[in-house]
Amino acid sequence: KIALVLLAICLMVTCFVACKDKKPVSYVAKINGDNVADGIFMAMFNEVLDELYKDEDTGLDYTLEGEKFFKQLKEKKTESGELYIDYFINEALSRAKLMIVAKQMAVKDNKWATSEELKSSEEEAKSELEYYLSYYQYYGYSFSSINQLAGMMYGMTADDYMEYFAFTSALNKFQDELGKTVEFTEEDLKKFYEENVDLYRIVTVRHSLLKTE
C-alpha cells in the first residue's frame, strides 16, 4: 500500500500538476493497433513497484516522496545495470502487452465486452469513486474530487481508472468463460503471441506520462 501511495505522488507530479484537469493523450503504447491505455500502464507500473517494495535488496529509499523518490528511479540501477525507471517501464509494458494479447484473443473469439458493457463497467467504477469520496469527506479528509481521490488511491486519473476497471472486468469475464473449457494460463497468451509474432513486433511508446529524460 505504501508503494502505491508513493507512485501516486510521483505520477501526480507528472500528470496532475502538468495536466491539471485536462485529460492527457489516452494511450502509452500501441500494440498491433491496440492502445495500451494510461490506466493499464499505470496499474502495471504500480504492480511492479509494489513487488520491488517487498525486496529489501533494491537499494531504493521508500521514505522519499514525490519528485525525490521519482528522481532516484532515474539515477539508481538494478543488479543487471539497468536504470530502475527503464526496468519499471519495460516490465510494465511487457505485462500490459499480455493483457492486450488476451483482449485480442477474446475479440478473435467474439467474446470481448460490448461498448455498452464497457460503459456500464465505467459507470460502476465512477460510482465506487463517488462513494469513497463521500466516505472520506465525511471523516474529514480534504479530497475535493474523484480525480484527486483516484490519484491517491490508484495513481491515475479518475477517467483512466474507469477505463482500466472496465478493461479488467471484461478481461476477467473472458478468462472465466475460457476457464469453463480450458485452463487459461500465461502460456496460452505467449503461444497466441508467438503464433502472431509479426503483428506484435513493433510497440510504439509514448513517454509523456513518465519523465524518462
Side-chain angles (χ1 to χ4, degrees):
K1 300 303 181 184
I2 294 175
L4 294 180
V5 172
L6 285 170
L7 181 60
I9 294 171
C10 294
L11 292 179
M12 280 192 294
V13 170
T14 58
C15 185
F16 292 163
V17 174
C19 304
K20 295 184 179 179
D21 291 330
K22 183 178 179 181
K23 182 172 172 55
V25 179
S26 62
Y27 68 92
V28 176
K30 276 184 176 293
I31 301 173
N32 187 28
D34 237 326
N35 293 343
V36 175
D38 292 350
I40 293 174
F41 175 77
M42 289 179 179
M44 295 302 98
F45 196 99
N46 271 331
E47 185 178 277
V48 178
L49 183 58
D50 190 49
E51 289 174 2
L52 262 70
Y53 170 70
K54 299 171 184 175
D55 184 352
E56 298 179 355
D57 298 325
T58 61
L60 295 175
D61 184 356
Y62 286 92
T63 65
L64 298 176
E65 297 182 358
E67 289 183 331
K68 290 182 179 180
F69 179 80
F70 196 73
K71 184 173 182 287
Q72 75 173 331
L73 297 183
K74 297 188 288 183
E75 295 176 346
K76 292 191 175 184
K77 296 183 178 181
T78 65
E79 291 183 355
S80 64
E82 184 179 20
L83 286 172
Y84 270 109
I85 186 62
D86 291 332
Y87 169 79
F88 285 139
I89 289 174
N90 291 333
E91 185 64 22
L93 281 173
S94 178
R95 298 182 187 198
K97 179 159 65 175
L98 288 178
M99 295 178 72
I100 296 300
V101 172
K103 174 199 170 181
Q104 293 178 349
M105 288 176 65
V107 170
K108 183 178 179 181
D109 291 342
N110 294 316
K111 293 181 179 178
W112 189 244
T114 65
S115 57
E116 291 78 13
E117 289 171 331
L118 292 172
K119 182 64 176 177
S120 176
S121 292
E122 288 183 0
E123 290 300 321
E124 181 182 347
K126 183 178 181 181
S127 295
E128 173 195 293
L129 289 174
E130 290 172 340
Y131 168 79
Y132 281 116
L133 179 63
S134 301
Y135 177 86
Y136 285 120
Q137 286 178 337
Y138 178 81
Y139 284 100
Y141 291 89
S142 58
F143 297 117
S144 60
S145 67
I146 60 172
N147 209 43
Q148 185 183 21
L149 180 65
M152 290 305 298
M153 290 181 67
Y154 305 111
M156 61 185 80
T157 67
D159 284 343
D160 289 338
Y161 173 69
M162 289 159 57
E163 186 176 19
Y164 170 71
F165 182 91
F167 184 96
T168 53
S169 295
L171 192 58
N172 290 337
K173 181 179 178 182
F174 169 61
Q175 290 174 333
D176 289 343
E177 291 182 358
L178 191 61
K180 293 176 182 178
T181 55
V182 297
E183 183 179 356
F184 186 79
T185 66
E186 188 170 310
E187 284 67 34
D188 294 321
L189 295 177
K190 289 181 177 178
K191 180 181 178 181
F192 182 85
Y193 171 81
E194 289 167 359
E195 290 174 350
N196 299 275
V197 66
D198 289 337
L199 298 178
Y200 297 97
R201 193 176 301 281
I202 299 175
V203 177
T204 305
V205 181
R206 178 176 65 84
H207 290 294
S208 63
L209 280 178
L210 297 166
K211 297 179 180 179
T212 57
E213 297 180 357

